[in-house]
Amino acid sequence: MDLDNLNDDEVNELIKSLKNPSKLFVIDDINNELSSMFGKIDIDEIVIGIIDNIEYTLHIFRGKRESNRYSINLRFTNKYHQLIRIDIGSNHTNPDNTQIIGDHIHFYSNQYPKRDRIAYPIDISDFPNVSNITDAFNQFTLYTNIK
């Protein structure tokens, strides 16, 4: 698989493929850190694809002052292309100038050199409670099949 030029089917396959954190109990550790009500969160953890052996970095970021604005992404560690990212509490302008107002999701797209340029509104059935970062993180791990 060419991680610099994935098609939509390959992106969907990678999102659905089973992945494991490289350290035991990492999901519990992340949940403990996320449960803090305030303050900056900046977490990077390595996740390994079970079938394809791809190394991903799971990244969670929340600024110091804006507890309702955060981002969670899964990127290829050696390429820095993001496979998937949710952005909560911010807007986005797509390359065609369409505006996404509010919470949105990015999927890897080979249409632009920066693979995460296109965003879509978040489907509430996939992420029903993004107002809580811990709930959103748990839904993200379900959506991306991180066990």
Side-chain angles (χ1 to χ4, degrees):
M1 217 176 270
D2 179 2
L3 299 183
D4 287 317
N5 193 29
L6 297 171
N7 63 40
D8 291 348
D9 289 336
E10 291 169 323
V11 169
N12 287 328
E13 180 182 326
L14 289 177
I15 289 172
K16 292 176 184 173
S17 69
L18 184 62
K19 300 162 202 72
N20 279 335
S22 62
K23 297 186 297 191
L24 293 177
F25 308 113
V26 73
I27 300 297
D28 291 336
D29 294 343
I30 291 171
N31 273 320
N32 288 337
E33 188 168 341
L34 293 179
S35 66
S36 67
M37 292 293 288
F38 303 103
K40 182 177 180 176
I41 296 172
D42 195 358
I43 300 171
D44 278 323
E45 289 295 339
I46 300 300
V47 177
I48 307 295
I50 299 300
I51 295 173
D52 48 36
N53 207 33
I54 294 174
E55 184 176 292
Y56 302 89
T57 299
L58 173 63
H59 180 74
I60 306 154
F61 181 81
R62 181 179 72 190
K64 192 175 195 176
R65 292 183 196 91
E66 297 177 316
S67 63
N68 63 338
R69 183 177 178 176
Y70 62 89
S71 178
I72 303 172
N73 75 61
L74 189 64
R75 68 178 185 259
F76 303 114
T77 300
N78 296 327
K79 298 286 185 181
Y80 204 78
H81 297 313
Q82 294 181 12
L83 178 62
I84 183 173
R85 180 177 86 230
I86 60 170
D87 291 327
I88 306 305
S90 64
N91 302 326
H92 179 81
T93 302
N94 282 322
D96 65 359
N97 287 324
T98 57
Q99 297 281 322
I100 307 297
I101 306 301
D103 307 331
H104 55 276
I105 189 166
H106 298 259
F107 297 100
Y108 175 110
S109 170
N110 62 7
Q111 294 179 15
Y112 298 94
K114 190 171 186 257
R115 301 297 191 219
D116 63 345
R117 292 272 297 142
I118 301 171
Y120 306 91
I122 286 185
D123 185 338
I124 196 155
S125 65
D126 293 325
F127 296 94
N129 186 18
V130 295
S131 63
N132 180 299
I133 191 171
T134 304
D135 288 349
F137 168 71
N138 288 324
Q139 284 303 123
F140 188 86
T141 60
L142 288 172
Y143 191 86
T144 56
N145 212 10
I146 297 172
K147 302 289 182 193

